[in-house]
Every structure is written in structure tokens, then in C-alpha cells.
Amino acid sequence: MSSIAILGAGAMGSGLANALVRAGWEVNLWGTWLDDHLIDAIEAGTPHPRIDTIISDKVKTFRSAELEQAMDGVEVVALSVASVGVPKVAEMAFDAISKAQALWLTTKGFMPDENGKIALLPAGLRRMAEAKGITLPPIVAIAGPVKANECAANEPTATIFGSRDLDVAVKYARAARSEHYAIEATDDEVGVEVCAPMKNVYAIMLGIADGLQEQTGHPHHNLKAATFAQAVREMSILSVALGAKEATAYGLPGVGDLEVTGLSGRNKVYGVRIGRGEGAQAALKTMAELEQTVEGVPAIPLAIDLVEQSATDVKERMPLLYAARQIVYEDDPDFTNILTRAVLPARP
Ligand SMILES: NC(=O)c1ccc[n+]([C@@H]2O[C@H](COP(=O)([O-])OP(=O)(O)OC[C@H]3O[C@@H](n4cnc5c(N)ncnc54)[C@H](O)[C@@H]3O)[C@@H](O)[C@H]2O)c1
């Protein structure tokens, strides 16, 4: 029987735990020092507070002080914490991760080093580990249109496992799938990892179009659809510039995940608030007061740094990314026109 330690008992870590129990895995779920209340609910057999779903009693739970026990002898370790928590949790877990056969990542984000150089998450983790003389096992980047609550509740879900070694991706895609949890495999780790955080940025922009409808009383579906198309184009352009396959952005990690993230979720809700006219910075404060982390916001300047450091040639072809910075970071009240100019094609 395959075994896994999932690090992070938030929405996604717990959703993945349920999916893997269904696929016959032995699952250890470790909660960080921020997750005690989540572990309490799981152990009490009450719905997980973030996803309103009961986590299988076959999942073994571990609290923050029990990291070593949670990882003892497992075949796979999955990192499922929010991107801000990755450096600390990875550091704590590196030794045990190096003994596992694979490291899975559901976290989405970019990793700047101390000099501000932006790496995709797998490359950033490899670099951190190397600096400590540790070699990581093969990494499997997990992405695609997966809402944790639906995945936990056994609703039909398609996801993708990306690893530089296709055999590794295929092996785990086969081992983890179940009737309602379909898994594609790809060797395009870069494409998967570019789309995952970028789509959070673009989901904010999709939310703005919905918010405009609330503010004006008129649908802005055409603007939203044009925004969607431009977002996909930009994910594809950046992916290819960084060495990925174009098709990845048009598949589950790009189009698929953008669709689901643009329907609901914190990035979209934040965009709706901007579109309604709440003001980008005031809306962000409201989200923080509601304890809603908007991952797309810190991703904007990191994505721009990534473009300017590693893909300068495509900068001019990414107007929506730059519009996101102007709207969110400069709090520009002219956001309707900024978004419109970024997504309506220039005169031929
Ligand atoms: N929710 C989803 O549907 C979904 C789907 C796919 C991928 N993801 C990704 O999975 C990751 C986790 O998302 P989630 O929805 O489970 O979030 P969540 O807020 O429910 O859980 C966050 C997890 O990260 C940990 N964490 C947060 N801040 C931390 C810090 N400063 N230091 C250490 N740990 C910290 C928390 O303890 C918790 O375990 C994110 O990168 C997200 O983009 C989420």
C-alpha cells in the first residue's frame, strides 16, 4: 500500500487526504502550528471548517510538534501549505523529504531568493535543499481545476501531475486516481508551475468584470470573456518563454484552473470588490480582516519580476499582467479603462 505524509491540514491538504484514502493510500495529515483547530475538527469527526466536509477517519492526524512521526517511513511527502509557509515548512521537513521517493506540491506560488531572483516553486525548493547539501527526490507538481471542497467530497475532479521525469508523473497519476479523481500526467513541470500562480492573478481580473456588473447593473460578460482569452494567451506566452509546452496553458493547469478560480474563491471575490468600486487597497484590507489571503496579490510583482528577469522578450505581450499591477498596487480608480485597454486587441 502506498503511503503519504501531507504537510498542511488546510483546505487542499485535507481534500487531497480524502481523495488518496479513496485510492487506497495510507495517509498521514500533519497540521502546522496554525492548524490545531482544523485537526480538532477532523479528529472530532465534524466537517473541516474550511471545506465543510468530513475528513475520512482513515486519515491519521498529527499536530505541529509531531512532524517527525508524521513523516516516518512514508513513500511520498506532499507540501500543501500556503506559499508564504513553504520556506519554513520545507526547511523543517527537508531531512525526511530526502528519504522519501517523491515530493508532491499542491502549493502554488513563486519563490524569490535573497537577491530577489524569482524561481518557480520546484526550482526554488531544489536550490534551498542544495544549499543545505540535501538532494530532493523527484518533484511532482500538482495543478488543475480542483476546488478542495469538491475534491474532498468525491465530486468529479480532473487534475494533472507534472514531473520532469514522465515515468514518475505517470506512476503516481495511476496510483492516486480513483473513480471520481482523474489524473493526467505530463513532463511539463515548468508549464504546470507557471500556470498555477498566474491564474490567481488573472482570476482577480475576471472578478473585476463581475464586480462591474454589480456596480453598473449591466452585464460585462464580453469584457470578462476577453479577459479570459487574454489571460490564457499570457499564461501560454510566459510558459513557452520559460521553456514549457504551449499546450499546458490550454489544458487543465491553465484554462481549466482559470475557469474554476474565476467562478469562486478568494482571488475572484477580491476582484469583484474592486469592480464594485470598493478601492483595491481598501478591498484588500477587508479581505485581510475576514482572514482571506488573496494569493494572487503577492504573485503580481513576483510574476513581473520573473518576466523582467527571465522572459524580457515577452513583456510587451503581457498587458493584462501589467494592468493587474496598476489596478491593485497603484489603486488606480480608472480600473475599467485599464482593464479594457489590456484585453481588447489593438486596431489591426
Ligand atoms: N483550496 C483549493 O481548492 C486549492 C486547490 C489547489 C491548490 N491549492 C493550493 O494549496 C495551497 C494551500 O491552500 P489551501 O486552500 O489549503 O489554504 P488554507 O488557507 O486552507 O491552508 C493553508 C495551509 O498553509 C499553512 N500556512 C498558512 N500560512 C502559513 C505560514 N505563514 N507558515 C506556515 N504554514 C502556513 C496553514 O497552516 C495551512 O496548513 C495554496 O498554495 C493553494 O493555492 C488550493
Side-chain angles (χ1 to χ4, degrees), residues 278-338:
E278 291 183 20
Q281 289 305 313
L284 194 56
K285 200 159 161 266
T286 307
M287 296 295 288
E289 283 161 7
L290 295 170
E291 293 185 15
Q292 302 276 302
T293 311
V294 187
E295 280 192 307
V297 171
I300 296 169
L302 296 176
I304 287 179
D305 285 349
L306 177 67
V307 170
E308 296 183 356
Q309 290 166 2
S310 306
T312 339
D313 289 357
V314 302
K315 183 176 167 181
E316 302 301 324
R317 296 163 66 202
M318 306 207 46
L320 186 54
L321 174 61
Y322 284 82
R325 178 169 72 181
Q326 199 176 346
I327 292 170
V328 171
Y329 281 85
E330 295 169 26
D331 211 342
D332 199 319
D334 194 24
F335 60 85
T336 311
N337 284 322
I338 294 167

Side-chain angles (χ1 to χ4, degrees), residues 34-55:
L34 303 170
D35 294 347
D36 280 349
H37 61 303
L38 306 177
I39 298 285
D40 287 342
I42 296 170
E43 288 177 349
T46 54
H48 188 294
R50 299 260 162 84
I51 50 178
D52 201 22
T53 306
I54 289 175
I55 303 307

